[in-house]
Amino acid sequence: MDSIEMIVAFGLAITISSVISRLVPPIPTPIIQILLGILLGLTPIGHGLVFTPEVFLVMIIAPLLFREGEKANILSFLENSSAILFLAFIGVIVTLLGIGMTVHYLLPMLPLAACFALGAALGPTDAVAVKSLSGGLQFSKKSLTILEGEGLLNDASGVTAFQFALAALVTGGFSVTDAAQTLVFASIGGALIGFLLVWIKGQIVLLIEKASAKDVSTYLLLELLLPFIAYLLAELCHSSGIIAAVVAGVMQSSGFRHFSLFEAKLATVSENTWSTIEFTLNALVFLILGVEVAQVFSPIWEAKEFSNGYLLMVILLLSFLLFLIRFLAISIFFLFKDGWKQTKAHFHDLLVLTFGGVKGTVSLATIFILPLTIHQVPFEWRALLLFLTACVILVTLLVGILVLPRLATDQESEPLDKQEVTILAEVIHILRGEIKDKEKDDKKRLAAEAIIDSYRDRIHEIYLDSFTLETKEESDEILSLMVTIERDSLNEAYHHGRISEAAFRFYQRFVLTINRRIQPVSLRSFLNMMYLSFHRIMWSVTHPRLLLKRFRHKEVQLTSTDYDAIRELFRENSQLIFSSLDNLEDVYDSFLLKYFITQRRRLIRRLDQGTFIPLVLVRQEPVYAREVLRGYYLERKAIDEYEVSGKITSWQANEYRQQTNLLESYSLNKLEEEIPWRFAIRKRHFKKQQAKGAGK
């Protein structure tokens, strides 16, 4: 039962971290997960977690590095192979010596071999953490390639170096020659095992194909098992399991594939499955780090051997020294390789490589290999070494979070794809021209209008993706302003009896749809959203009667008088919004202001024409499905014409078609789903209202 509770607790923590990271994008997901891990570590569930390094390596590190190897750009790695190999092997050894000697000087009671073990554990950088911290940031391709390649290889050198330091701690003997030979043979052996395992897997696949027993689930399971088998088999052969997992991933991605429907299905399922596994395992890494920080913090912090201030100084000094050693090693390497002028010209890349060398998963897993006893005597310094490692990892992550965004180059997020906008606009133009032939059929006309609105929304999303962070913040602020105006005016109208309770609740739902479009991309926009949420909560507290009625009577029944009141209030609020936006012309982006004004005027026309609500209802009609297919047909036709005329490349056309196919598949699946019962009730009520109006 305890294991089940732990699984549920970690699953809940992973889900919460995902939600918080979406709500507060400025705070990196790893930091959120570490904080949640610390909270979890303070609970009985966290206290019951027994950390097993071998399980951690095989169940989490191996599949993550396998996936990184599968996605690795081998050509880029080969172009920067000298820098990658230098950092992955020489860099780890230099870090081992520098950190080991420093720790022995600062804490002379620690055995020298134990100090070197700490240095070896802090040698490898974390490819997973680097990717998490650099996500959404723009760095040079060379810097990212070196960081990724180093992160894939230095785990093996770090673990091997740690094992030799541990052997020296236990036996008192150490041989540099033996260590170097073991590292080389372990790496080569791991690479051969990874290569051989993928070849065997390929032969199994061929046998399955010859037996005409193709199955997506079987193929996917074979792929998912590869990193675990590669790691375990390599360790059994006294080779590097980490290198075996990485090489298996690289070889898995380099195999030839047939262009068939089966391969397409397999690729789609595999990508979706691995993306979920990646996020889950990444989250587990940082959650476990937080739990371990919570577990080792109290015993060391309350110990009397060292003052807390001195320990804090040691942690900060070791973290500073890690970055300093890394900077000096990288600088010396590039000075010898490229000369002074080239190194000076690429000083920015040196800083990125330096502060991208954060520590993480393997360092945590490695230090936990330290034995509880040595020669049947409790190893009294084990807790201190765990504490120092966990805290240094946390400090390097914080430094990376603070420094890397300042080293990122300015960017426009994504360049505006004008050709895609033009294609979608052409579809809108054709659909708009076809509406004249559908004037006699209200359902067809409304369905076409709904499709046109969906294409307008897609164009807006393309523009929004091309905005800078500052422009996205402005968009959120404008939406927040609109919500505030709508909500204040709505509350005032209801308070003075200008609208009924039913009209109030209907209008409130419309305001909530605007509120949901606010997607905080910075601390400022997040605070705006929190203010609106707090305002809504306070209103609910001060109006408990309406809140209770909302739960008791969920269906809103509007009369013709309510419609008139809603139209009048919507026009008044629109004028207030237009006036406010006009006064902000010198503050916000002109395109944004024009877009929101145009969108608002379109809603006014819909409300005046009486098509605002029917446009929602028509989405469940069969005629809507036909219009959806018509829109995608026109979109494909436009893509083909643009490709033939040379306005877009074949690669662009292929990308557009993939998006269209994905949208079409999703749209049809959603249209085939059963209509929700609440929507069906509303639809029936609306038809009754229409019948009553026709009878009058």
Side-chain angles (χ1 to χ4, degrees), residues 612-631:
F612 185 75
I613 298 177
L615 273 176
V616 177
L617 297 175
V618 79
R619 296 177 186 271
Q620 298 297 328
E621 298 288 347
V623 67
Y624 180 75
R626 290 194 293 270
E627 290 299 326
V628 167
L629 294 176
R630 173 66 177 166

Side-chain angles (χ1 to χ4, degrees), residues 420-483:
E420 186 176 7
V421 172
T422 305
I423 290 172
L424 298 182
E426 187 169 319
V427 175
I428 291 175
H429 177 72
I430 296 173
L431 291 173
R432 176 63 62 188
E434 293 178 350
I435 285 182
K436 296 179 181 179
D437 300 330
K438 301 171 182 176
E439 292 292 342
K440 296 180 181 180
D441 191 326
D442 287 340
K443 287 186 178 180
K444 287 184 178 181
R445 179 176 58 82
L446 289 172
E449 291 281 2
I451 299 300
I452 290 173
D453 284 349
S454 68
Y455 273 95
R456 287 198 181 106
D457 290 339
R458 285 177 61 185
I459 291 176
H460 173 64
E461 289 178 4
I462 295 171
Y463 276 104
L464 191 62
D465 289 340
S466 69
F467 288 162
T468 60
L469 179 62
E470 183 180 357
T471 308
K472 290 179 180 178
E473 287 179 352
E474 291 181 2
S475 176
D476 286 344
E477 289 177 5
I478 293 173
L479 286 171
S480 300
L481 173 65
M482 293 172 63
V483 169

Side-chain angles (χ1 to χ4, degrees), residues 33-54:
Q33 290 161 348
I34 290 172
L35 293 176
L36 289 174
I38 292 174
L39 294 176
L40 194 60
L42 300 175
T43 65
I45 294 176
H47 289 303
L49 177 66
V50 179
F51 189 87
T52 308
E54 292 80 4

Side-chain angles (χ1 to χ4, degrees), residues 295-312:
Q295 287 184 354
V296 301
F297 182 82
S298 295
I300 299 301
W301 202 251
E302 295 172 0
K304 298 180 180 179
E305 287 86 352
F306 310 99
S307 68
N308 295 336
Y310 187 76
L311 281 179
L312 182 61

